[in-house]
Amino acid sequence: MRKIQLTLIQIDNYGPWTVTPKPRREAELQSLQAELFAELEKQFSARKGLVFPTRFDNMMAVTNGISLEEHRSILQAVNKKFPVTVSMSIGTGPTPYEAQVQATLSLQHAGSSRSAGRKGVLVGACVGSSDEDWVQIAHMDVNHSALITDSEPIYDTHTLLQKTHLALISSLLRRKALVFYTGGDNFMAASNGIGAQELADVFSEVKRELGVELKAGVGAARTAELAAALASDGLHEIRKDLVKEHIVYKVG
Ligand SMILES: Nc1nc2c(ncn2[C@@H]2O[C@H](COP(=O)(O)OP(=O)(O)OP(=O)(O)O)[C@@H](O)[C@H]2O)c(=O)[nH]1
Ligand SMILES: [Mg+2]
């Protein structure tokens, strides 16, 4: 069975750390979170993975093809570099939702997010055999968002994009896909198993609810790097009017 592999990356004992010995300045925490995310993105993308910042203290990476040993070397490199450590947990499943459930359960089993005793652990299991590795990523984007950016107050535009994010989350969660905001008017979904018609239905729901029109390139391949690249290529073709559809699938 084809499976997506997700890695949950969680900062160890972060809540207590942020207030020890007294509440740390927010600017320090924001810088740390951004730098930690950037380092993880560099490390995982060097091995064809893709990390989403998610909530920054908990990040989600698509890691098909990245072994337990490679995870361990990333973990060691990152944990040497920062004043906090992270733990990682790998989960797999036919859908992204199930994969993150597996990853979460393994990490929760290894100890609390607020435990000083859990430090830099690596748990969970990778996809068993490489011919089972499968990642589908949808790169979704709002049509003509620059028109809104250039005419409405920026906070109103931001709010509309966040509502769009939430509408995509709700609709895609029912289909066991996970949506991540990637900045600007862009969203990426780990969407194994979702076909073009189903995605078109999702976009219709969002349009009915918010009046926002979306388009998407969808890539499917053995690694996150290739799936995301194919997705972005598909989106580029739609933008350039090279195709008439507003959803383009590409299989690597
Ligand atoms: N993360 C990410 N952000 C992007 C990408 N392309 C554009 N953006 C961001 O999205 C914003 C809007 O860009 P566009 O989507 O090209 O603008 P638009 O007016 O919506 O144009 P169309 O989508 O072609 O209708 C840009 O300012 C960037 O911040 C991308 O591939 N990835
Ligand atoms: Mg756009």
Side-chain angles (χ1 to χ4, degrees):
M1 191 207 307
R2 285 170 157 186
K3 289 179 184 165
I4 189 166
Q5 177 176 309
L6 297 179
T7 302
L8 167 59
I9 304 154
Q10 186 174 83
I11 304 180
D12 294 317
N13 201 25
Y14 189 46
W17 186 85
T18 63
V19 292
T20 305
K22 59 184 177 43
R24 290 174 197 263
R25 300 283 71 94
E26 191 54 31
E28 182 195 344
L29 300 176
Q30 291 297 317
S31 304
L32 169 65
Q33 290 172 195
E35 285 166 17
L36 182 58
F37 166 66
E39 178 63 25
L40 285 160
E41 191 70 277
K42 279 180 207 149
Q43 293 277 348
F44 276 102
S45 68
R47 295 163 175 90
K48 303 186 193 300
L50 181 62
V51 190
F52 296 107
T54 323
R55 43 177 276 194
F56 286 98
D57 61 346
N58 287 257
M59 291 163 267
M60 196 87 80
V62 185
T63 58
N64 288 75
I66 303 178
S67 67
L68 203 64
E69 293 67 43
E70 289 175 291
H71 275 82
R72 197 177 305 284
S73 63
I74 296 173
L75 191 68
Q76 284 168 353
V78 170
N79 286 350
K80 263 201 284 215
K81 216 171 158 163
F82 290 93
V84 292
T85 61
V86 298
S87 287
M88 293 185 190
S89 180
I90 308 163
T92 66
T95 68
Y97 189 82
E98 290 166 273
Q100 64 83 33
V101 168
Q102 288 308 319
T104 306
L105 288 174
S106 298
L107 191 58
Q108 288 172 344
H109 192 69
S112 166
S113 59
R114 293 176 69 86
S115 150
R118 196 206 72 193
K119 201 172 158 71
V121 302
L122 173 61
V123 292
C126 296
V127 168
S129 94
S130 65
D131 43 282
E132 286 188 329
D133 277 307
W134 200 244
V135 185
Q136 181 174 299
I137 288 177
H139 184 173
M140 304 172 286
D141 155 298
V142 175
N143 291 346
H144 313 303
S145 71
L147 293 176
I148 314 171
T149 306
D150 293 342
S151 62
E152 299 294 327
I154 192 58
Y155 197 75
D156 297 31
T157 309
H158 174 62
T159 303
L160 182 64
L161 289 165
Q162 293 309 308
K163 284 181 181 165
T164 306
H165 185 193
L166 197 53
L168 284 170
I169 286 178
S170 312
S171 185
L172 281 161
L173 188 56
R174 276 185 259 124
R175 296 159 168 99
K176 304 219 177 295
L178 310 178
V179 184
F180 302 95
Y181 180 56
T182 53
D185 68 346
N186 288 249
F187 309 91
M188 275 190 168
S191 66
N192 288 41
I194 293 180
Q197 185 54 54
E198 220 175 343
L199 193 56
D201 293 345
V202 168
F203 288 179
S204 300
E205 278 179 39
V206 176
K207 170 118 195 267
R208 262 199 313 279
E209 187 183 333
L210 297 170
V212 169
E213 287 190 43
L214 292 150
K215 55 187 167 302
V218 184
R222 288 187 186 284
T223 66
E225 179 182 77
L226 185 54
L230 290 168
S232 301
D233 287 351
L235 188 60
H236 187 66
E237 288 175 12
I238 303 169
R239 281 216 183 97
K240 294 275 160 217
D241 274 334
L242 300 174
V243 289
K244 62 176 190 329
E245 295 84 7
H246 66 298
I247 296 175
V248 167
Y249 272 68
K250 287 177 179 285
V251 178

